Amino acid sequence: MLKSIRKHSKHPVAKILLGLVLIAFASLGLGSFVPSLQFNRDYIKAGDTSIEIQEIASQFNKLRSEVAPDLTINEAVTNGYLDLLITYLSNEAIILEEASKQKITVTREHLKKTLLENEAFLDDDGKFSPTKFEMSLFRAGVSEEKYLELLGRDITKKQITETISESAKISEKIIFAIAEKNLEKRNGTIVDLDLVPLSTIRKPSDNELKTFYDNTTSSWIEPARRSGKYFILDPKDYADTITLSAQELIDEFDIRRKDYFKEETRSINQIIFDDKSKAEKFLSDLLNETQFNKLAKDKYNNENSIIDDIKKGDLLNEISTVVFNLKANEVSDIIKTDLGYHVIKVEKIIPATDPKFEDIKSELEKDVRLDLATDIVYDIANFADDAFSSGSSIDVVANEKNLELFSTDYLDKNGLDVNRSKPKNNLLSDKVFLEVLWNSEKNGNLSINETEDGKFFALSLFDEKKEFLPSLDEVKTKLEVSWKQSKAIEETLNKAGKLSAADDFIKFANENNMKISEVKGVSQNDVSYPRPEIVKTLFNINKLNEKQIAATELGISVVRFDDAIKPEVEDVENLKKLLLNPFNQSLKSDISSALISELSEKHKLEVNKSLILQALGLNSP
């Protein structure tokens, strides 16, 4: 368990989720989860320090409600939230045990000072508000004493971990270099080579084919495949069978009218400055609206800075009222937010529309029919689910409800058929559908399931073909083609090597009828350029005029690094500021993790997940 905890806590996704755990815990609530508690047992223990099951249960409930409120307890456990909590509380037990051994304590005065400085409890004048403090505790459901205990634990943990990690900082020069590399743009020349035609590749000998077959055995293994029969319940299939009277449509219009109301939206163009004086200079230099758009494009490297069709509620509070009081083509004064100093121009205003019956009649009728069809589908799904629970087969249910039964192709776990391609029927590629197909047992219990796009289906396993390796003769035709393809790639790579070594790169390409193109001003994080492999290769080259071979979806290419365009120092400094804190925080986190890992051995961390699950009223997996 200890090894899995360490591994889990070092994974980048786990770190993010652990951050969410900390946020959830920071709000102090202890929830109302009441498990079948088992007292006086060791659930999480490091040396003489143990975490009681009451706290584990309360914190698990709190984490679930804050981070995954839509999941049941079992689903939260399956999705790894209990493991994350155990990791967090295990680390806490280790640190608290170390604090105990080192006789590290938190004085009442230190607690009081930290409490009085907590921004969450300050009033508008920046002074401690007893009322805000008491209301926060009341909403969280904890006593003042419990809060002080949690606060003391947090301070203790920081005293131990930050003693080592706080001094850990990455050189600003290194961050500057990283930022500069990120913002650098490059020019390059690309030569694309056509794959050598298979028709020019000789036929392999029997010995060559046998050797190739032996060396590529894993490629020829036919995976296990399953086939099933199923019915599908799609509301769209029932919508056309529903008729509505004129009065029924009018009644539905009265009920749903607000659903079709469209509030006012605006398209805006904005420039954000990190310094107020720069924003003031921009406004003083601004001659007309056209100049605004040009300057905005220049500031954002010629990228479109316009945000289309934005609602008032989608904007920051400090911005929304100002923007929605402007007229079309009007420019705002400077607006300060946490992001910086905004200057905004309103490009277009799309007024609110209150729908009229005739304008939305056809759309309304379609929506009502679909809703009623959905009700029909739910009724059939509920009937089928009850019938399956009583032991009915899929044939019986389909016959009773006049549902058409279909058969799947033989599919592997990835939804690929015997030709290793996806079927045209999108249902057969649905993640849920495939999970049901591969988790079913022949003549096992059936159920109604919902696809990722909201349809219902039932599926019964029909047959399964086990994994097998075809003989050489069975795949001989495909084997020959594959052998020729590998030889064609090999010969093409040889040509690419000769191209790279040529004294005159362009001349060699022209003489061999190779396609030449250029890439201009591309950055290594440029998502607009359609060939990311080319960009990656271009930025892997260290010296001007050097070349590298790249494999792309289009085939084999040779990339030459022609020129580097250095970014503006101001832009690099701005990116450096953005990167500095995350880099340092990551470094501190890694050092803290290493410290906790060492302390876990020293204090003999013990975690009994089975007991925790039992105490929460759950079964061990």
Side-chain angles (χ1 to χ4, degrees):
M1 180 67 194
L2 175 58
K3 185 180 286 187
S4 69
I5 285 174
R6 287 187 194 163
K7 183 178 180 182
H8 207 40
S9 65
K10 288 182 180 178
H11 195 282
V13 174
K15 287 183 180 179
I16 294 170
L17 288 174
L18 281 171
L20 293 176
V21 173
L22 291 169
I23 293 169
F25 296 161
S27 58
L28 304 177
L30 294 181
S32 58
F33 184 89
V34 183
S36 54
L37 300 180
Q38 301 177 28
F39 299 97
N40 300 322
R41 307 290 294 276
D42 289 332
Y43 299 91
I44 299 174
K45 186 178 182 182
D48 296 326
T49 300
S50 61
I51 306 294
E52 297 179 351
I53 190 58
Q54 296 99 319
E55 180 169 358
I56 299 172
S58 298
Q59 298 287 33
F60 181 53
N61 184 54
K62 181 62 181 175
L63 171 62
R64 195 164 57 89
S65 65
E66 291 281 346
V67 181
D70 297 329
L71 298 183
T72 65
I73 296 171
N74 281 300
E75 288 171 340
V77 171
T78 302
N79 280 276
Y81 289 105
L82 181 60
D83 288 332
L84 286 171
L85 174 62
I86 290 173
T87 299
Y88 174 82
L89 292 177
S90 297
N91 291 347
E92 185 162 90
I94 292 165
I95 294 172
L96 293 177
E97 175 65 9
E98 176 69 8
S100 174
K101 296 301 182 187
Q102 297 293 337
K103 300 189 180 340
I104 297 173
T105 59
V106 181
T107 66
R108 200 74 175 178
E109 282 302 311
H110 192 168
L111 282 174
K112 182 179 177 181
K113 181 177 181 295
T114 306
L115 174 63
L116 294 177
E117 292 174 352
N118 191 325
E119 291 184 3
F121 308 137
L122 302 183
D123 59 21
D124 294 338
D125 297 324
K127 296 180 180 179
F128 179 78
S129 169
T131 303
K132 288 186 75 172
F133 175 61
E134 289 169 8
M135 286 302 297
S136 296
L137 296 188
F138 175 75
R139 284 194 298 269
V142 294
S143 65
E144 182 176 333
E145 201 59 36
K146 183 63 179 178
Y147 170 74
L148 292 175
E149 178 195 331
L150 293 171
L151 181 60
R153 281 163 58 167
D154 189 54
I155 293 171
T156 300
K157 287 186 289 183
K158 286 182 178 178
Q159 284 180 327
I160 291 177
T161 57
E162 291 184 0
T163 301
I164 294 176
S165 66
E166 192 60 30
S167 59
K169 291 182 180 178
I170 297 176
S171 164
E172 290 195 19
K173 287 184 179 179
I174 294 175
I175 300 296
F176 185 92
I178 292 171
E180 188 176 44
K181 183 74 172 177
N182 261 276
L183 294 175
E184 178 187 295
K185 293 186 177 182
R186 290 189 172 188
N187 300 330
T189 301
I190 306 158
V191 176
D192 295 317
L193 288 76
D194 292 329
L195 196 68
V196 172
L198 296 189
S199 58
T200 65
I201 306 295
R202 66 176 175 79
K203 186 176 180 180
S205 67
D206 289 343
N207 285 338
E208 286 174 324
L209 208 58
K210 176 67 168 62
T211 301
F212 186 71
Y213 174 77
D214 291 340
N215 291 337
T216 59
T217 296
S218 59
S219 302
W220 306 106
I221 293 174
E222 290 292 336
R225 292 189 176 92
R226 285 186 167 193
S227 175
K229 54 184 174 180
Y230 67 94
F231 63 73
I232 183 78
L233 299 173
D234 186 348
K236 292 178 182 176
D237 295 336
Y238 294 87
D240 292 339
T241 66
I242 296 170
T243 57
L244 295 165
S245 68
Q247 187 57 50
E248 284 175 321
L249 265 183
I250 292 170
D251 292 342
E252 287 292 340
F253 175 73
D254 291 336
I255 295 170
R256 300 169 180 242
R257 185 170 185 167
K258 288 183 178 178
D259 295 343
Y260 297 92
F261 174 81
K262 293 182 180 178
E263 64 179 285
E264 179 183 322
T265 61
R266 299 190 167 205
S267 296
I268 64 170
N269 199 352
Q270 71 169 337
I271 304 180
I272 306 175
F273 299 90
D274 57 0
D275 187 275
K276 187 177 181 181
S277 62
K278 293 178 183 177
E280 289 171 341
K281 185 176 187 310
F282 170 77
L283 275 179
S284 66
D285 292 345
L286 192 63
L287 299 176
N288 53 54
E289 298 87 354
T290 305
Q291 187 187 23
F292 184 103
N293 292 358
K294 181 181 182 304
L295 291 173
K297 273 199 167 188
D298 290 345
K299 180 172 176 62
Y300 296 109
N301 297 321
N302 221 26
E303 294 180 8
N304 187 9
S305 56
I306 295 176
I307 306 172
D308 287 318
D309 302 333
I310 195 166
K311 298 174 184 175
K312 187 174 183 179
D314 294 334
L315 292 168
L316 294 170
N317 291 334
E318 305 97 309
I319 294 175
S320 59
T321 302
V322 175
V323 167
F324 275 75
N325 282 335
L326 294 174
K327 297 175 183 177
N329 291 318
E330 197 171 358
V331 177
S332 74
D333 289 328
I334 298 168
I335 309 168
K336 184 181 183 305
T337 74
D338 290 339
L339 300 176
Y341 298 89
H342 304 244
V343 180
I344 299 173
K345 175 193 166 192
V346 173
E347 295 286 335
K348 183 172 62 174
I349 298 174
I350 303 172
T353 56
D354 194 3
K356 295 179 181 178
F357 177 74
E358 290 301 327
D359 294 337
I360 64 163
K361 182 179 177 181
S362 59
E363 183 183 359
L364 174 67
E365 184 173 3
K366 182 181 177 182
D367 291 344
V368 173
R369 280 182 174 181
L370 192 60
D371 287 349
L372 294 174
T374 301
D375 291 339
I376 294 172
V377 164
Y378 270 100
D379 288 341
I380 297 173
N382 288 330
F383 169 84
D385 216 25
D386 291 341
F388 291 149
S389 297
S390 301
S392 292
S393 68
I394 196 170
D395 300 87
V396 170
V397 171
N399 185 56
E400 287 194 36
K401 287 297 180 181
N402 197 29
L403 302 173
E404 186 176 359
L405 279 176
F406 303 92
S407 294
T408 70
D409 300 325
Y410 279 91
L411 303 173
D412 65 18
K413 290 186 177 181
N414 296 314
L416 303 180
D417 60 22
V418 291
N419 296 316
R420 304 202 178 194
S421 59
K422 287 193 173 184
K424 293 180 180 179
N425 185 346
N426 290 333
L427 174 67
L428 304 187
S429 298
D430 182 85
K431 180 182 176 182
V432 179
F433 188 90
L434 290 172
E435 284 178 355
V436 173
L437 177 63
W438 281 93
N439 288 329
S440 296
E441 296 180 8
K442 207 164 186 180
N443 301 319
N445 294 331
L446 303 179
S447 63
I448 290 291
N449 307 276
E450 187 173 1
T451 65
E452 291 184 313
D453 59 355
K455 300 169 188 174
F456 292 99
F457 70 91
L459 183 145
S460 175
L461 177 62
F462 173 69
D463 189 29
E464 179 176 356
K465 292 182 178 179
K466 301 295 184 183
E467 176 184 291
F468 71 98
L469 175 64
S471 67
L472 186 151
D473 288 336
E474 289 176 303
V475 294
K476 188 171 184 179
T477 302
K478 292 180 181 178
L479 199 63
E480 285 185 356
V481 172
S482 183
W483 185 90
K484 286 187 174 185
Q485 286 174 337
S486 68
K487 289 297 178 184
I489 292 171
E490 185 180 313
E491 289 189 18
T492 307
L493 285 171
N494 287 337
K495 278 190 177 182
K498 291 177 182 177
L499 170 65
S500 296
D503 293 332
D504 192 329
F505 179 67
I506 300 299
K507 182 181 178 182
F508 186 97
N510 283 323
E511 288 176 349
N512 288 275
N513 297 317
M514 297 172 179
K515 182 182 175 184
I516 304 171
S517 60
E518 292 182 333
V519 57
K520 295 282 188 181
V522 68
S523 64
Q524 61 180 327
N525 298 315
D526 194 339
V527 294
S528 63
Y529 188 71
R531 301 175 70 184
E533 304 93 340
I534 295 295
V535 176
K536 183 177 180 181
T537 302
L538 181 59
F539 277 87
N540 278 339
I541 303 173
N542 295 321
K543 294 181 180 179
L544 288 175
N545 296 316
E546 282 194 352
K547 299 174 277 289
Q548 275 193 19
I549 297 173
T552 75
E553 290 182 356
L554 300 180
I556 305 299
S557 303
V558 177
V559 181
R560 184 180 70 188
F561 176 21
D562 293 337
D563 189 24
I565 305 165
K566 296 295 182 183
E568 296 292 333
V569 174
E570 180 185 2
D571 293 333
V572 179
E573 284 290 345
N574 288 337
L575 183 56
K576 186 192 80 174
K577 290 175 185 176
L578 290 174
L579 295 177
L580 196 58
N581 189 54
F583 265 87
N584 285 332
Q585 288 300 325
S586 178
L587 179 61
K588 290 175 184 178
S589 176
D590 287 342
I591 291 173
S592 295
S593 295
L595 171 63
I596 290 170
S597 178
E598 288 298 318
L599 292 177
S600 67
E601 298 292 346
K602 175 181 176 182
H603 299 307
K604 296 180 181 178
L605 174 67
E606 298 174 15
V607 176
N608 195 325
K609 185 177 177 181
S610 297
L611 274 182
I612 294 172
L613 288 169
Q614 290 173 22
L616 296 178
L618 304 168
N619 295 321
S620 298

